[in-house]
Amino acid sequence: CTKLSEDVMSMCRQHGMEERKSFAAALATEEMCNNILCHGFKLQKKNLISARILIDQEKKIRISIRDDCTPFSPLEWKEIHNNDEDRTSNIGIRMVASIAEEMRYVNVMDMNSLYITI
């Protein structure tokens, strides 16, 4: 995932995004993809993961991450665990939610799709 985050950061910078916003996009992409790899992939099956980055005309970074792993909504997970006393638990999901302008999740045809706008 380190290579992925480096590529996201580089692409954002090449397209004129400020360093802080580029770093946020790289961090969000790496964290969410890492969660999928660590918790979603099953050894008995070949799994798919794809990440796409788009910089729109309004200079918003739009991240789309899709996988065919077990259905999992980071947004629902965050809500369920929002009041946990240990604020370090689920820190990756909390961090991404805090830097994102918007997050959406859908599961259609056994595909998880997470959309993050920064």
Side-chain angles (χ1 to χ4, degrees):
C1 285
T2 303
K3 174 78 169 107
L4 174 64
S5 65
E6 290 171 357
D7 289 347
V8 170
M9 179 84 166
S10 176
M11 187 210 71
C12 290
R13 296 294 289 152
Q14 287 173 6
H15 286 84
M17 301 306 297
E18 62 187 53
E19 186 172 359
R20 183 178 176 148
K21 202 170 190 178
S22 299
F23 179 76
L27 184 65
T29 305
E30 180 177 350
E31 186 59 39
M32 293 295 94
C33 288
N34 205 23
N35 280 353
I36 294 166
L37 291 171
C38 290
H39 304 293
F41 273 36
K42 297 177 182 169
L43 296 176
Q44 311 89 318
K45 171 186 169 195
K46 284 189 176 184
N47 288 110
L48 165 79
I49 182 172
S50 70
R52 295 180 184 197
I53 311 299
L54 172 80
I55 299 173
D56 69 16
Q57 294 176 345
E58 298 170 356
K59 293 293 186 185
K60 292 184 180 185
I61 302 171
R62 301 194 183 270
I63 304 164
S64 170
I65 302 170
R66 295 183 67 201
D67 68 78
D68 64 351
C69 300
T70 304
F72 174 77
S73 170
L75 302 175
E76 286 179 21
W77 184 263
K78 181 184 167 291
E79 284 303 312
I80 291 168
H81 297 279
N82 200 32
N83 295 321
D84 287 356
E85 288 186 27
D86 181 4
R87 300 306 287 170
T88 61
S89 70
N90 311 301
I91 195 163
I93 293 172
R94 292 175 201 261
M95 179 179 50
V96 172
S98 73
I99 62 175
E101 180 180 311
E102 177 186 14
M103 286 179 70
R104 291 182 300 116
Y105 167 83
V106 293
N107 183 288
V108 177
M109 297 176 53
D110 294 325
M111 292 293 292
N112 294 303
S113 296
L114 179 64
Y115 304 98
I116 304 167
T117 302
I118 296 178

